[in-house]
């Protein structure tokens, strides 16, 4: 594994027990400049994951608890009039950071979600005729509870498509939960990360290095075969968009990079296709009856679409 990403993984693992795959997927999203939607029940460590990753890379971490009464200005900031000279002065909102944890995003009003949309897509804030560029790296880690629906707002498909990955952490095993009890018995385990293992500037360098990984035409065709199958299937009402194709392409490059390779393989596609593509799909009534979830559809496509014979050629 690539040295820096291994250190980030191990540092974050001092807080998060037994979720190496989840941590690694989040790191891959970070190396692609993408945002992550963590959808899971309360109490499985979603907030701790965001805080631990931020502390491991020395990034500025902000958390905003989204409720129906949160205003867009709480995220974007606002302008106030300087009483001395009458000029407008910008007061930063929660988004001026490296890692923004948007907790329970589906409880925010549509107006707040729209404000978050530009931030996620453009990495900047436009306010009162001025543009405020966000720090680099910048990553939104949003959480939502899939069980509770009272007092929530449906995330529009346009915003779902802006999330690079949708990840579920899942419950720990018995042994993992015993370890969690030991770690949390006396103090918050976030203190186990004494200092960052990399800097935000180093993360920016890693992003550039990951973008240099080679992806053969055969692997690109394999990605597109999966994507196009989601559009043509009678199991779907809405297939994966070209933004999803690009996200999968970037993800397989980053996956190869973190595993110390200079080229991507179909195994990188298989490892990440569900988390990168499934949340961009809307199933048809037939699909819901037959498969239940978009994740099941993507897994079915991975099992049925043949891997090109020359896909391992560098």
């Amino acid at each position: 594994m690539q040295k820096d990403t291994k250190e980030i993984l191990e540092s974050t693992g001092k807080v998060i027990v037994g979720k190496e795959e989840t941590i690694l997927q989040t790191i891959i999203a970070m190396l692609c400049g993408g945002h992550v939607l963590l959808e899971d029940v309360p109490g499985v460590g979603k907030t701790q994951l965001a805080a631990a990753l931020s502390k491991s890379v020395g990034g500025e971490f902000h958390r905003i608890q989204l409720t129906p009464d949160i205003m867009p200005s709480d995220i974007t900031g606002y302008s106030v009039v300087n009483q001395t000279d009458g000029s407008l002065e910008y007061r930063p909102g929660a988004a001026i950071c490296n890692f923004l944890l948007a907790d329970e995003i589906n409880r925010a009003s549509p107006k707040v979600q729209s404000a978050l949309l530009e931030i996620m897509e453009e990495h900047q804030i436009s306010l009162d005729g001025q543009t405020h560029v966000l720090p680099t790296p910048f990553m939104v880690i949003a959480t939502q509870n899939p069980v509770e629906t009272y007092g929530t707002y449906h995330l529009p498909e346009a915003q779902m498509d802006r999330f690079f990955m949708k990840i579920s952490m899942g419950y720990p095993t018995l042994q993992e939960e015993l370890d969690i009890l030991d770690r949390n018995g006396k103090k918050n385990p976030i203190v186990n990360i004494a200092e960052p293992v990399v800097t935000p500037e180093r993360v920016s360098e890693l992003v550039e290095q990951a973008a240099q990984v080679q992806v053969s035409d055969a692997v690109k065709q394999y990605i597109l075969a999966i994507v196009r199958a989601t559009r043509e299937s009678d199991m779907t009402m809405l297939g994966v968009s070209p933004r999803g194709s690009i996200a999968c392409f970037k993800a397989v490059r980053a996956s190869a990079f973190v595993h110390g390779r200079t080229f991507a393989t179909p195994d990188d596609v298989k490892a990440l296709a569900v988390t990168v593509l499934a949340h961009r799909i809307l199933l048809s009534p037939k699909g819901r009856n037959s498969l239940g979830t978009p994740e099941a559809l993507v897994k079915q496509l991975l099992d049925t679409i043949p891997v090109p014979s020359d896909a391992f050629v560098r």
Side-chain angles (χ1 to χ4, degrees), residues 144-183:
Q144 68 177 10
N145 179 354
V147 179
E148 293 182 353
T149 57
Y150 180 75
T152 63
Y153 298 87
H154 174 72
L155 290 183
E157 276 64 45
Q159 186 158 354
M160 289 294 290
D161 205 28
R162 258 69 173 190
F163 282 105
F164 192 82
M165 290 181 181
K166 177 184 170 186
I167 301 173
S168 295
M169 298 184 68
Y171 285 119
T173 64
L174 175 60
Q175 184 57 53
E176 289 169 353
E177 198 153 10
L178 286 170
D179 293 341
I180 290 171
L181 294 180
D182 291 337
R183 287 194 189 184

Side-chain angles (χ1 to χ4, degrees), residues 87-107:
S87 63
L88 289 177
E89 293 183 355
Y90 176 62
R91 295 289 188 268
I96 304 299
C97 61
N98 297 111
F99 295 88
L100 174 62
L101 175 63
D103 221 354
E104 297 190 81
I105 187 174
N106 55 338
R107 292 192 180 277

Side-chain angles (χ1 to χ4, degrees), residues 28-50:
I28 288 172
M30 178 181 69
L31 295 181
C32 297
H35 311 290
V36 171
L37 177 62
L38 290 174
E39 183 180 85
D40 220 317
V41 296
V44 294
K46 301 186 293 294
T47 301
Q48 287 284 65
L49 172 59

Side-chain angles (χ1 to χ4, degrees), residues 220-237:
K220 294 176 188 175
Q221 293 289 349
Y222 183 49
I223 293 172
L224 294 181
I226 298 168
V227 167
R228 296 187 70 84
T230 68
R231 301 171 188 168
E232 298 166 359
S233 173
D234 61 356
M235 298 289 179
T236 65
M237 294 175 59

